[in-house]
Amino acid sequence: MPISVADIVVGGIYGTANNQERRVTKIENGKAHYESRGGNVKNEWGYGHSISSPPSLQSFADACDRVISLPKV
């Protein structure tokens, strides 16, 4: 089940069904900029999307099925 758009915050880490981890670096103009890495390997973070075309918040939410961690407030 997809996460809620309301759960997407800068610094949050989210998981996809194929165990990719996505870390949101910026939210701008209704789009989520993020880095990604393999959830099993925990390699270095790399660009997760086309730099010129980040996904909408809804598309990002639809691709993720769990919240792994949120930044401490």
Side-chain angles (χ1 to χ4, degrees):
M1 173 173 246
I3 64 168
S4 168
V5 169
D7 289 335
I8 303 170
V9 296
V10 173
I13 299 175
Y14 308 89
T16 65
N18 64 352
N19 206 27
Q20 181 187 66
E21 293 182 353
R22 296 179 176 189
R23 179 172 63 185
V24 175
T25 58
K26 178 169 65 170
I27 296 172
E28 183 176 65
N29 299 321
K31 298 192 181 260
H33 296 253
Y34 69 93
E35 301 171 316
S36 66
R37 70 180 181 183
N40 292 334
V41 179
K42 305 285 190 205
N43 51 345
E44 295 295 317
W45 293 101
Y47 286 114
H49 60 84
S50 166
I51 294 174
S52 64
S53 184
S56 69
L57 291 173
Q58 186 62 59
S59 292
F60 183 88
D62 290 344
C64 297
D65 64 358
R66 66 194 178 285
V67 177
I68 296 172
S69 69
L70 296 174
K72 298 200 190 296
V73 179

